[in-house]
Amino acid sequence: MTGPKTLDDLYAAFDGLHMEGGWHRKFPALWPVPEENFLPYIWRYGDVKPILEAAGELVSTEFAERRNLTMRNPVEGNRYATVRTMVAAYQMIKPGELAKAHRHTPNALRLILDGHGTYTTVNGTRVEMRPGDVLLTPNWAWHSHESVGSEDCYWLDFLDVPAVHLLEPMFFERHPDGLESDPVDADTSDIAFRWEDSVKGLEQSTDTADGMCQSQIELGNPALDTIRLYMQRLAPKTSTRRMQTTANSVFAVVEGSGQTQVGDETIPWARGDVIAVPGWRPYQHTASEDAVLLRVTDKPIYEKLGWLREEVS
Ligand code: 1HN
């Protein structure tokens, strides 16, 4: 035998070949249930709005193109994501400003918070952005935003950019002409979920998402290849059941106030806040007053791959 004679020599030989024995790993490869990784966290609109206002004075859209502030999960080593597969951002646009057209493979959606007179153009269709509306920008769709009104407009962006970072199919380009030519105005569109329709839908819905809300409607089915969207109404002074799911969620508070228990933490929230609920962390909501949450979840990824596990207790 000419190979290594001792265990130490054997392991040194593995190292030399950039290999590792399954029985003496430096880091485990398998574990019984999902490990805690990304942290539950909240970004408060009340903290962010003055910062965005200041950015409005200091940073022009000429310079920044898009005045968006992404929310970085505070887990150590994370450079960008809000939860494993998704990033959320606050964005503000001032009267007369323009965010030029671009497209990218990450899927995106927006939830409008405040302001009127702003339009988004998606693949040649121009739609108004009104508070409570949810607007989609699917994979590789051109999109630009412009303000023609007299108010600052605030919204939330949600994208699957971190999923694209993980799997690496990133493509991005700016429109060669800056903007799409001759957009067509539309009030109803496949990419627009209007607030008044959500309110009506929630009044009529009997879906309680297994006790996770008083009523829920899904926007799209799914809204995007990687993202499902649910508007959820919570009844005042009542707690939902407790949910544990492998899918990640980001909740945006569309209306009302309350708190969410995630693991051992209790996180109070109000209108415009964004709450990161990473996968497999048990969570439960309690509304103080009538509340509506937008749940943005990467559930389609887990569904398609056979990795969705959910328990309600
Ligand atoms: C993006 O393209 C927009 O188009 C907003 O408004 C936020 C955050 C990360 C990456 C791309 C937009 C974004 C973004």
Side-chain angles (χ1 to χ4, degrees):
M1 225 169 61
T2 58
K5 301 279 187 303
T6 67
L7 254 189
D8 283 350
D9 289 349
L10 183 70
Y11 293 161
F14 291 173
D15 275 345
L17 293 169
H18 294 282
M19 297 178 81
E20 193 180 57
W23 65 93
H24 79 122
R25 294 209 179 282
K26 292 187 185 79
F27 305 100
L30 303 170
W31 44 91
V33 293
E35 293 211 310
E36 291 189 348
N37 194 323
F38 279 75
L39 302 171
Y41 200 73
I42 183 163
W43 291 265
R44 295 195 166 87
Y45 191 35
D47 295 337
V48 176
K49 212 171 174 184
I51 299 294
L52 266 177
E53 273 164 22
E57 298 298 316
L58 296 165
V59 185
S60 72
T61 48
E62 283 296 303
F63 170 63
E65 198 151 310
R66 276 157 172 73
R67 199 183 287 109
N68 55 36
L69 278 183
T70 52
M71 296 169 231
R72 187 178 65 236
N73 193 284
V75 69
E76 204 185 319
N78 176 46
R79 296 199 301 195
Y80 180 74
T82 306
V83 292
R84 171 61 77 196
T85 59
M86 297 185 288
V87 69
Y90 284 96
Q91 185 163 176
M92 190 267 269
I93 187 166
K94 296 206 295 184
E97 286 185 338
L98 174 69
K100 287 183 190 163
H102 70 199
R103 62 180 175 180
H104 38 65
T105 43
N107 294 279
L109 65 115
R110 291 160 235 298
L111 167 67
I112 314 311
L113 293 176
D114 282 309
H116 293 83
T118 298
Y119 291 79
T120 190
T121 302
V122 179
N123 275 347
T125 302
R126 198 174 89 130
V127 294
E128 194 179 358
M129 307 164 92
R130 297 186 289 256
D133 290 353
V134 173
L135 306 167
L136 308 179
T137 307
N139 175 356
W140 212 237
W142 291 113
H143 53 287
S144 60
H145 321 299
E146 66 181 315
S147 167
V148 298
S150 56
E151 298 175 4
D152 294 347
C153 186
Y154 293 81
W155 68 79
L156 286 165
D157 302 294
F158 302 89
L159 301 96
D160 58 9
V161 172
V164 175
H165 288 170
L166 280 171
L167 300 175
E168 305 193 7
M170 180 65 81
F171 294 88
F172 165 75
E173 67 185 20
R174 293 192 170 81
H175 196 285
D177 308 324
L179 280 179
E180 294 186 83
S181 52
D182 307 318
V184 177
D185 282 309
D187 201 53
T188 51
S189 159
D190 288 349
I191 62 116
F193 299 96
R194 299 300 186 184
W195 175 237
E196 56 272 21
D197 296 330
S198 293
V199 170
K200 267 187 233 137
L202 284 169
E203 276 164 13
Q204 289 159 10
S205 167
T206 54
D207 177 8
T208 66
D210 287 335
M212 291 310 295
C213 52
Q214 186 190 338
S215 66
Q216 136 173 310
I217 55 163
E218 178 163 11
L219 309 181
N221 180 22
L224 297 161
D225 287 334
T226 53
I227 295 177
R228 282 193 187 275
L229 298 176
Y230 300 97
M231 281 287 185
Q232 304 185 319
R233 179 173 287 284
L234 302 179
K237 311 239 180 326
T238 36
S239 292
T240 66
R241 293 174 76 190
R242 206 159 151 270
M243 164 74 99
Q244 196 172 20
T245 168
T246 48
N248 301 285
S249 296
V250 181
F251 290 91
V253 186
V254 187
E255 241 183 32
S257 62
Q259 59 185 49
T260 296
Q261 180 150 4
V262 196
D264 303 331
E265 276 179 76
T266 302
I267 303 176
W269 42 256
R271 184 178 174 276
D273 294 354
V274 173
I275 306 120
V277 179
W280 214 240
R281 304 254 189 186
Y283 70 90
Q284 181 175 34
H285 305 299
T286 308
S288 316
E289 51 183 334
D290 218 343
V292 178
L293 301 179
L294 175 67
R295 179 182 175 209
V296 181
T297 171
D298 59 6
K299 192 168 157 171
I301 300 179
Y302 293 80
E303 285 170 329
K304 280 175 196 152
L305 300 177
W307 288 326
L308 185 71
R309 290 204 192 194
E310 298 195 322
E311 281 170 29
V312 181
S313 55

